[in-house]
Amino acid sequence: MDLGITDRVAIVTGASSGIGYAIAKELISNNTKVLIAARGEDHLQAAEQTLGQLPGARVASIAVDVTNKDAAQRILDKTMDSFGAPDILVNNAGRAHAGGLLTSSEDDWEEMTAVKLTSMRRMCKAAVPFMQEKGWGRIVNMSSIGGIYPNPKLFISHVLSAAINNLTKSLALEVAADNILVNAIGVGAVKTDNWARNMIPFVRKNNPDLADLSDDDLIARISEKCTPVRRPGAPEDIATLAAYLCSARNNFVTGDTIEASGGADRFM
Ligand SMILES: NC(=O)c1ccc[n+]([C@@H]2O[C@H](COP(=O)([O-])OP(=O)(O)OC[C@H]3O[C@@H](n4cnc5c(N)ncnc54)[C@H](OP(=O)(O)O)[C@@H]3O)[C@@H](O)[C@H]2O)c1
C-alpha cells in the first residue's frame, strides 16, 4: 500500500533504538525525510548511519535530551535546517518505570513526567503551528495499554499513559479542523532494550518461581501467560501501525488510542 507520504518531513524522538528506530525505518522506506532524536550520541550516529543505507534514504539526527526546556526548539531548528517544516511528529522518547505509588520517589515522578508527558506537550506545541500553516499534519504519541488497564506495580508509567491518551484526545479535537490528525498507540509488551533494562528485573522480582530461566525463556513464558497471541511484540509490529496513522491513507482516525498488544489487557 502506498502510504502517500513521499517527501513529507517527519520527526521521530527516541529513534536510536527499539520502537522509534523501527518507525524511522518504516517512514524512510516510504520515502519520508526523517529527523531522529535521542540522547546517546554513539547509538544515535550508528542508527543514522544504518538508516542512511536504506535505498533513497534522507535522514538526519540530533543528540538531545527531550526533558531539556529548549529541546523542542532545537529539534525544530534542526528539522528546518535539514529538510524544512515538519508534517509528521512521532513522540516516542521514554522508558518504563517499575514501582507503585508508595514505592516510587518524588524524583522518579518528576523525571518520568518530564520525559513522557512534558516533552510531548512541548513537541506538539512547537510542531503544530507549521502543520497548521501547511493544512496537513499527523502526530503519533507513544502510550501504553497501562493507560487503560493500569498495573499498580507500574504506577508512574501507567498514570502518565492515561495522561498521554487524554492529551492526544484533547489536541486532536483542538486541531481536527486544520487537517491535523493526532493519535496514540497503547503499546503492550514489545521486546526492546527498554525491556531488557527496565522490565526483565521487574518481571524477575514479581515471579521468583521463574528465577532459573534465561531472559529469553522468561520472556517466552510470560508472553504465553499474558499475551493471547503468545509472543511479545516486535518493534516492527508497532512501526507498521504508526506509519499508517502518520500517512495520507489515514484521513478519519483521530483522537484515538489504538491498542497494539497482541490482545493483552494487562501488562505482565
Ligand atoms: N517496549 C515496551 O514494551 C513498551 C511498552 C509500553 C510503552 N512503551 C513506550 O514506547 C517508547 C519506546 O520504548 P522502547 O521500548 O522502544 O525503548 P528503547 O528501545 O529503550 O528506546 C527508547 C528511545 O528513547 C530514547 N530516549 C530515552 N529517554 C530520552 C530522553 N530523555 N531524551 C531523548 N531521547 C530519549 C532512547 O535513547 P537514549 O537513551 O540514548 O536517549 C531510545 O532511542 C517509550 O516511550 C516507552 O515508554 C514501550
Side-chain angles (χ1 to χ4, degrees):
M1 177 164 71
D2 176 9
L3 293 182
I5 46 176
T6 293
D7 294 335
R8 291 284 186 193
V9 175
I11 298 169
V12 185
T13 69
S16 62
S17 72
I19 294 169
Y21 177 85
I23 293 172
K25 189 173 175 188
E26 187 67 37
L27 292 175
I28 290 168
S29 302
N30 281 279
N31 308 312
T32 304
K33 306 171 199 175
V34 180
L35 187 280
I36 61 172
R39 290 168 304 180
E41 288 204 41
D42 291 352
H43 255 98
L44 187 67
Q45 276 172 16
E48 182 181 359
Q49 213 165 22
T50 318
L51 291 169
Q53 283 161 13
L54 292 168
R58 289 162 295 174
V59 59
S61 71
I62 179 168
V64 65
D65 183 336
V66 295
T67 65
N68 290 340
K69 254 192 174 161
D70 64 351
Q73 194 52 56
R74 287 184 53 212
I75 291 171
L76 261 294
D77 289 347
K78 178 73 185 190
T79 308
M80 297 296 286
D81 285 351
S82 306
F83 302 126
D87 305 282
I88 293 167
L89 168 63
V90 181
N91 283 311
N92 169 77
R95 66 178 181 87
H97 176 269
L101 183 151
L102 297 176
T103 55
S104 46
S105 70
E106 199 65 23
D107 285 350
D108 295 334
W109 175 265
E110 281 178 14
E111 193 230 315
M112 285 299 293
T113 304
V115 67
K116 290 290 298 187
L117 192 61
T118 309
S119 73
M120 209 173 263
R121 180 186 65 82
R122 288 194 188 126
M123 284 302 302
C124 290
K125 209 165 174 187
V128 161
F130 294 103
M131 298 176 182
Q132 285 175 314
E133 214 166 285
K134 295 183 181 205
W136 197 95
R138 300 286 182 270
I139 298 175
V140 170
N141 296 325
M142 219 46 71
S143 183
S144 135
I145 54 166
I148 297 168
Y149 315 105
N151 178 337
K153 292 175 182 156
L154 292 160
F155 168 72
I156 299 179
S157 289
H158 289 178
V159 168
L160 292 172
S161 295
I164 290 167
N165 300 351
N166 195 287
L167 177 155
T168 299
K169 176 76 85 183
S170 184
L171 178 60
L173 297 175
E174 193 174 341
V175 299
D178 298 314
N179 194 21
I180 301 170
L181 307 185
V182 190
N183 291 287
I185 299 180
V187 180
V190 174
K191 202 174 161 190
T192 62
D193 290 354
N194 168 33
W195 237 58
R197 274 194 311 271
N198 299 302
M199 296 309 299
I200 299 271
F202 165 79
V203 171
R204 284 200 181 285
K205 200 170 146 198
N206 289 307
N207 297 274
D209 52 315
L210 303 179
D212 292 342
L213 296 182
S214 68
D215 284 359
D216 281 347
D217 288 346
L218 183 72
I219 289 174
R221 181 76 66 84
I222 295 291
S223 301
E224 272 177 28
K225 201 166 95 183
C226 300
T227 309
V229 301
R230 297 172 74 81
R231 66 165 178 88
E236 292 72 22
D237 293 325
I238 308 301
T240 312
L241 173 61
Y244 167 75
L245 292 171
C246 290
S247 78
R249 289 290 175 157
N250 173 25
N251 284 300
F252 208 53
V253 181
T254 196
D256 256 321
T257 298
I258 294 148
E259 288 171 32
S261 68
D265 60 3
R266 68 191 161 122
F267 211 95
M268 292 177 287

